[in-house]
Amino acid sequence: MTNDHLVVSPAWLFAHLDDPQVVIVDCRFSLADPQLGRQQYQVSHIQGSYYLDLNEDLSSPVGEHGGRHPLPNPTDLGQKLAQIGVNYQKSLVIAYDDSRFAFASRLWWLLRYLGHERVAVLDGGFAAWQKAGYPVTNIIPQSQTTTFIPQVKIDKVVDIESVKNKKDLPDVVLVDSRESDRYRGEREPIDKIAGHIPGAVNYPWQEVTDSSGYLLSPAEQRRRWQKLETANEILVYCGSGVTACVNLLSLEIAGISQGKLYAGSWSDWISYM
């Protein structure tokens, strides 16, 4: 494993496919076609991996407020994790997708939010696994019976009131993780209102990886965040609290642990406008 156990290579995962302490989770998803990820999993996935769906498993139902992907109920998610063999604080979870960590990092963040630190993402995702010639299958593994009782870390998340109260403080930085043209309000393909939260700075989540989905080096991650490393709190958001988790992963790799997720993100913010 590399980067303080936050990221694993395909070679590392292949060598640990039969390790009973390792649980592999396929997080592939498409915002444009919500069924696509599950369909791809059913056709072909890493041997032994389970599937968790962004909408059905890693989010709660959408309400008037809370954004497009509200955080899941901790108890419900804990039960689902137990059913795929995740033993609280014992299993090592490896999450992967095919979207430059966009959805795998959501599971990575959620597990840490629930108090389970033993989680990493697969560098390069499913494409890197296939490129290396490692085994894939369409066999879906059986449900498991383990114990996962969440211990929620409430200090990892902020709501809209916290953002309003803190964002302009001198030792707090608010980070918008969306593409720069969305941040500037020049393009908005999803939400009803374009723009960004006043005072936010822009660090697009795609900058965490190269164009093939491989993580940039820890040194590059540190350089990326060097202007913010002395902040007391870094509040991170995106459109709905999903791709912001890629930036939170990047912060951790850079050795900066004061990042917090504004889970509702821009879609929650504009629901009050």
Side-chain angles (χ1 to χ4, degrees):
M1 297 180 72
T2 59
N3 300 324
D4 295 322
H5 309 303
L6 297 173
V7 183
V8 301
S9 68
W12 185 95
L13 183 56
F14 177 67
H16 291 81
L17 275 183
D18 297 322
D19 187 336
Q21 293 297 320
V22 172
V23 178
I24 310 168
V25 183
D26 188 319
C27 300
R28 284 178 289 174
F29 191 81
S30 168
L31 294 174
D33 182 359
Q35 297 303 313
L36 180 61
R38 187 180 298 276
Q39 292 168 355
Q40 291 174 324
Y41 169 78
Q42 291 170 342
V43 171
S44 178
H45 54 262
I46 294 176
Q47 180 179 316
S49 64
Y50 294 86
Y51 183 75
L52 289 179
D53 182 274
L54 174 64
N55 286 347
E56 296 179 15
D57 303 312
L58 306 183
S59 306
S60 291
V62 177
E64 180 182 1
H65 302 297
R68 287 182 279 105
H69 293 104
L71 295 183
N73 177 282
T75 301
D76 292 345
L77 180 55
Q79 291 174 347
K80 291 176 181 180
L81 291 167
Q83 291 169 358
I84 63 171
V86 182
N87 202 344
Y88 186 75
Q89 293 292 37
K90 295 181 181 179
S91 301
L92 172 60
V93 179
I94 307 300
Y96 74 88
D97 59 28
D98 59 358
S99 304
R100 299 170 68 174
F101 302 144
F103 308 109
S105 66
R106 168 79 166 201
L107 177 59
W108 170 85
W109 184 88
L110 281 169
L111 280 161
R112 291 163 63 93
Y113 170 65
L114 298 183
H116 186 93
E117 297 285 331
R118 290 177 54 78
V119 54
V121 296
L122 176 65
D123 200 13
F126 190 61
W129 181 266
Q130 289 181 301
K131 184 177 180 180
Y134 294 137
V136 295
T137 183
N138 61 1
I139 298 174
I140 297 174
Q142 295 182 342
S143 297
Q144 304 291 321
T145 303
T146 55
T147 302
F148 194 101
I149 301 175
Q151 302 293 320
V152 176
K153 307 295 184 182
I154 59 173
D155 61 337
K156 289 185 177 292
V157 66
V158 292
D159 60 13
I160 188 171
E161 292 305 318
S162 294
V163 174
K164 288 179 178 179
N165 293 334
K166 293 182 176 183
K167 69 183 183 68
D168 297 319
L169 297 176
D171 59 348
V172 175
V173 180
L174 180 63
V175 171
D176 187 314
S177 304
R178 297 170 301 163
E179 299 93 325
S180 295
D181 57 350
R182 290 185 69 192
Y183 165 79
R184 293 190 298 265
E186 299 167 358
R187 178 181 68 94
E188 183 45 66
I190 303 175
D191 293 306
K192 295 180 180 180
I193 300 175
H196 63 264
I197 300 174
V201 294
N202 187 214
Y203 283 75
W205 66 273
Q206 294 94 335
E207 294 176 353
V208 175
T209 57
D210 64 20
S211 60
S212 297
Y214 291 95
L215 188 78
L216 299 184
S217 72
E220 290 173 292
Q221 307 291 347
R222 286 190 290 271
R223 281 195 295 271
R224 183 169 180 255
W225 298 108
Q226 61 185 356
K227 293 181 180 179
L228 309 188
E229 61 185 357
T230 59
N232 185 50
E233 288 184 289
I234 303 173
L235 313 180
V236 186
Y237 77 93
C238 56
S240 65
V242 178
T243 53
C245 296
V246 183
N247 266 338
L248 289 164
L249 172 66
S250 174
L251 283 164
E252 288 288 337
I253 292 169
I256 301 171
S257 59
Q258 58 266 43
K260 299 182 179 183
L261 177 66
Y262 172 25
S265 287
W266 179 245
S267 54
D268 175 60
W269 183 269
I270 63 173
S271 72
Y272 293 92
M273 297 172 67

